[in-house]
Amino acid sequence: MKILVCMKQVPPKDAPLKLNEAGTWIREDVSYEVNEPDAFALEEALRQKEKHSGEVVVITAGPARAQQVLREALAKGADRAIHLEDAAFVGLDAFNTAGAFAAAIKDEQFDLIFTGLQSDDCGFAQTGVILAELLGWPHATIIMQIEKTEGGIKVKRELESGYFQFVEMPLPAVLTIQSGINKLRYATLIGIKQAKNKPLRKVALAELGPAITANSQKIERMYVPQKTKKTEYLEGSSAEIAKKLVEKLKDEIRVL
Amino acid sequence: MSETILVVVEQREGKLNRVSWETLVAGQSLAAEMGWTLEAAVAGNGVSAIAGEVAAKKVSKIHALESPGFSPYTPEGFSAGLKQFISAKQPRLVLMPHTYQVRDFVPKLATAMGRTVISDCIGYRKEGDKLLFTRQMFQGKFAADVSFNCDPPWFVTFQNGAFRGDRVEAGASAAPVESVNVDIPQGTIRNKPQEVFKEAKQAVDLTQAEIIVSVGRGIKEQKHIELAKQLADALGGEIAASRPICDSGWLPMDRQIGSSGQTVAPKLYLALGISGAIQHIVGMKGARSVVAINKDHEAPIFEIADVAVVGNLFDVVPALIEEVKKMKSSA
Ligand SMILES: Cc1cc2nc3c(=O)[nH]c(=O)nc-3n(C[C@H](O)[C@H](O)[C@H](O)COP(=O)(O)OP(=O)(O)OC[C@H]3O[C@@H](n4cnc5c(N)ncnc54)[C@H](O)[C@@H]3O)c2cc1C
């Protein structure tokens, strides 16, 4: 099986974020890591390859810093990487990002494409599904299990409130992967060493040409959401906080 | 001719998904503000009963889209069928709830029509002649106002809880239901879905718990779960968790709170090291009181907390256990 994994670099969940001057995005001087569901998507691709042999290719769209995500993926066992390198990719909507991926892989023949089910920054939850439509492939979302079958694959879709559903589908197909589908591996020292010699193809924005058009949705402004609830902050030493909280639990919340 | 807002309500196995009322409320409020006409649609195979249910609300018309290709649900069937109807109808706005089902097909549908979806919105605002849709960014740390930069139909999905479903306005008289036969050509649908099922029986029913101590990834290591359990025991409550804790197997799945876990409404929900992602919040926002302990003062959990402690849970929780025990022994 030849599998492409689409990955994105995002700020860590507990990173302190600041707005840029224009108030349209965050200030970029933060640390970054791989979008969590994408890490699970990579792990799943590596496991499928271990079972059925084949190739795992990773792709990202982002500025130079995003290469780190690809390097880590190569160190974990991906065979090669594609970097759509341009700072402009950060501002693309899901349609354009999917279009860029589709254009970058037009000469390749994948059996499966994995994406994380959504990103921790924009949270569109759309790129994988749009990519499937652009390629004319079937897709399934929020996947928790993948098995190869005679004619294709059988996947387990997560539904709301603890429900699931198996879906059989032909290949090639696009799957969006849910966090927790597997247990992540760590890169080994030898893996990190080998990664240095693995191929990494860079693609410039200009090469993708007409695949990228004006965004059809635009962030007019970004801001810290207004608090609607009155919250009481407890301060002091841990002992003081504990005392105040217990009083509240007893007298106001009345559960003690 | 007046512009139309089309709300596509969701049905699953012949039942209306209640979250659809929220979307209808969004539609009613937009229609009033913009002076546009509100219509609704439901897609399935035998949906006249659901259409009738929606017809009691304040809408001008319901379209009952019928096709064997809508049942069982597949993204290909829904995308193809709705594309036919929406392309012919050309509404200005198409609104849907941001459910697992909708997020599975609506990006495909919009792309097939050369359009875009502003997904998972929590509200809208009208600014001059611009219509902006508000959505969360960076897991709720920020909000963004987003505009459409393309021709209609404009697709928008709304987050669970964004509008009050119980505020849906009833109509003066039943709205007309128009049945539309949609033709989904053979070969459109490649996915073969099987029955929907629930994994293993639930051993604990957290919906009845009055006190829930819930742990998130801030607990760091499996061995520290014990600390949270001690607090739960001291308080006489149940232990629960955010999804990553259950994914890691540190607590069983049936203790997971959130959109893919249980929905609870205890008197006290004490969140330890939980950031407050929307998928978690939907499972516990019905709690009467929320107390959150988190070291990050920007954590979105504080937005819905009644009582907030910005601090290290490993300092606060031991002190709290001691204080609770002290209080109980003196009582
Ligand atoms: C389709 C879908 C369904 C999902 N369903 C669910 C669901 O049902 N339930 C659910 O919970 N999630 C669900 N999620 C995942 C959800 O988006 C979040 O990823 C998850 O809730 C985060 O869990 P967390 O808050 O424990 O971890 P994190 O977001 O990593 O937060 C950890 C928090 O701990 C704090 N912290 C760290 N150390 C300390 C310390 N020493 N003291 C105090 N605080 C500390 C940090 O500041 C941070 O805020 C779903 C996601 C998707 C996309």
Side-chain angles (χ1 to χ4, degrees):
Chain A
M1 288 228 261
K2 194 171 156 184
I3 308 175
L4 178 74
V5 185
C6 305
M7 307 184 78
K8 185 175 196 181
Q9 200 186 35
V10 297
K13 285 203 174 80
D14 53 0
L17 302 177
K18 298 219 163 50
L19 289 172
N20 66 9
E21 298 237 316
T24 51
W25 194 247
I26 55 161
R27 274 173 49 178
E28 295 261 335
D29 53 344
V30 287
S31 62
Y32 286 90
E33 64 181 25
V34 62
N35 181 47
E36 185 172 60
D38 303 354
F40 286 97
L42 170 67
E43 177 64 41
E44 194 55 31
L46 295 173
R47 289 177 185 220
Q48 293 295 331
K49 182 190 149 179
E50 282 154 11
K51 259 190 241 158
H52 308 293
S53 82
E55 191 186 16
V56 173
V57 182
V58 287
I59 188 167
T60 197
R65 60 168 162 79
Q67 203 193 92
Q68 181 59 26
V69 164
L70 300 178
R71 287 283 166 213
E72 281 168 22
L74 293 172
K76 285 184 171 185
D79 299 291
R80 60 189 166 88
I82 307 171
H83 187 180
L84 312 188
E85 190 182 329
D86 198 300
F89 282 113
V90 173
L92 291 189
D93 62 16
F95 177 81
N96 272 319
T97 305
F101 287 158
I105 58 156
K106 67 177 190 317
D107 298 326
E108 305 226 32
Q109 252 134 34
F110 290 103
D111 300 298
L112 278 168
I113 298 181
F114 294 172
T115 70
L117 81 170
Q118 66 191 58
S119 63
D120 287 344
D121 53 0
C122 296
F124 292 136
Q126 295 194 45
T127 308
V129 178
I130 295 174
L131 182 56
E133 175 65 17
L134 293 176
L135 296 168
W137 296 3
H139 77 266
T141 56
I142 320 195
I143 297 306
M144 286 297 281
Q145 190 180 308
I146 303 163
E147 271 169 58
K148 208 168 173 310
T149 59
E150 280 286 286
I153 47 170
K154 181 175 163 189
V155 299
K156 184 177 166 193
R157 277 186 73 206
E158 176 183 306
L159 305 174
E160 277 120 340
S161 315
Y163 285 89
F164 295 91
Q165 179 181 43
F166 284 103
V167 178
E168 287 187 73
M169 55 204 297
L171 295 177
V174 177
L175 303 175
T176 80
I177 307 293
Q178 168 68 301
S179 292
I181 181 176
N182 48 40
K183 295 265 175 296
L184 301 178
R185 73 188 64 193
Y186 293 98
T188 57
L189 269 178
I190 182 138
I192 295 167
K193 236 175 166 172
Q194 283 168 346
K196 297 203 171 92
N197 299 318
K198 289 180 176 173
L200 189 155
R201 176 161 75 95
K202 286 192 185 183
V203 181
L205 190 63
E207 290 173 61
L208 299 168
I212 311 235
T213 55
N215 281 342
S216 42
Q217 53 181 276
K218 178 171 173 243
I219 296 178
E220 301 277 347
R221 70 178 88 88
M222 221 162 85
Y223 48 91
V224 177
Q226 267 188 356
K227 258 180 91 94
T228 45
K229 195 156 180 175
K230 235 181 90 221
T231 304
E232 185 175 349
Y233 286 82
L234 302 184
E235 279 158 14
S237 69
S238 294
E240 285 161 359
I241 289 172
K243 218 183 189 101
K244 287 183 204 167
L245 188 50
V246 167
E247 274 165 23
K248 278 201 171 302
L249 296 181
K250 189 160 156 274
D251 302 330
E252 291 170 33
I253 303 175
R254 293 169 189 253
V255 286
L256 284 182
Chain B
M1 204 188 86
S2 147
E3 305 268 11
T4 305
I5 301 171
L6 182 74
V7 170
V8 181
V9 302
E10 176 165 307
Q11 63 86 18
R12 276 183 261 175
E13 278 137 34
K15 277 217 193 80
L16 181 79
N17 184 350
R18 316 303 298 173
V19 75
S20 303
W21 294 137
E22 297 181 10
T23 319
L24 206 60
V25 168
Q28 289 180 335
S29 129
L30 269 157
E33 200 162 331
M34 307 300 290
W36 294 348
T37 306
L38 178 64
E39 298 183 9
V42 55
N45 191 20
V47 289
S48 57
I50 292 175
E53 204 178 332
V54 180
K57 307 302 176 195
K58 194 176 162 194
V59 286
S60 335
K61 194 188 272 182
I62 325 289
H63 305 271
L65 313 182
E66 299 278 4
S67 171
F70 284 135
S71 180
Y73 164 81
T74 59
E76 295 170 313
F78 265 61
S79 175
L82 284 169
K83 182 184 162 189
Q84 250 179 51
F85 175 71
I86 294 169
S87 303
K89 170 125 199 82
Q90 288 295 321
R92 178 72 175 262
L93 269 175
V94 181
L95 310 180
M96 302 187 204
H98 190 75
T99 59
Y100 275 49
Q101 182 168 305
V102 166
R103 55 182 280 174
D104 190 54
F105 77 82
V106 79
K108 178 179 173 72
L109 165 63
T111 302
M113 293 184 62
R115 297 295 183 272
T116 193
V117 191
I118 302 186
S119 53
D120 208 10
C121 295
I122 53 173
Y124 71 88
R125 76 173 77 182
K126 187 173 175 263
E127 257 177 30
D129 50 5
K130 241 188 177 154
L131 195 49
L132 303 175
F133 292 91
T134 307
R135 59 192 306 282
Q136 294 178 315
M137 300 287 291
F138 296 91
Q139 304 256 317
K141 288 200 169 180
F142 298 108
D145 293 338
V146 185
S147 62
F148 283 97
N149 186 30
C150 64
D151 292 334
W154 292 342
F155 290 85
V156 178
T157 66
F158 284 110
Q159 189 169 90
N160 188 331
F163 292 85
R164 291 274 306 265
D166 57 350
R167 301 247 168 103
V168 64
E169 281 182 71
S173 58
V177 175
E178 211 162 89
S179 190
V180 185
N181 285 320
V182 177
D183 176 39
I184 298 171
Q186 282 275 311
T188 304
I189 300 170
R190 293 165 287 186
N191 286 7
K192 289 195 188 68
Q194 299 175 3
E195 291 294 301
V196 168
F197 66 95
K198 197 154 195 166
E199 204 110 285
K201 268 227 197 63
Q202 265 169 18
V204 281
D205 181 11
L206 296 177
T207 59
Q208 300 306 315
E210 297 216 325
I211 298 178
I212 292 178
V213 173
S214 195
V215 269
R217 203 144 38 177
I219 203 82
K220 290 287 177 331
E221 288 178 60
Q222 181 164 20
K223 62 171 196 244
H224 300 316
I225 297 280
E226 196 47 44
L227 184 66
K229 278 190 179 153
Q230 283 168 14
L231 178 57
D233 286 345
L235 288 167
E238 289 281 352
I239 185 104
S242 69
R243 177 170 178 136
I245 300 299
C246 300
D247 277 344
S248 308
W250 296 358
L251 279 173
M253 285 293 179
D254 55 8
R255 296 208 174 251
Q256 179 183 313
I257 305 299
S259 58
S260 48
Q262 296 207 44
T263 301
V264 295
K267 285 187 180 158
L268 169 67
Y269 192 86
L270 210 168
L272 306 176
I274 291 179
S275 62
I278 181 61
Q279 297 87 2
H280 187 79
I281 303 279
V282 295
M284 46 65 76
K285 64 174 184 222
R288 212 177 65 193
S289 303
V290 175
V291 177
I293 303 177
N294 196 303
K295 69 172 175 100
D296 174 11
H297 72 96
E298 285 178 350
I301 189 79
F302 289 135
E303 269 159 50
I304 60 143
D306 300 278
V307 180
V309 177
V310 180
N312 186 340
L313 74 91
F314 295 106
D315 296 333
V316 180
V317 174
L320 190 55
I321 294 170
E322 203 172 306
E323 197 60 36
V324 172
K325 283 185 178 160
K326 221 172 18 184
M327 200 230 69
K328 286 213 165 168
S329 65
S330 70

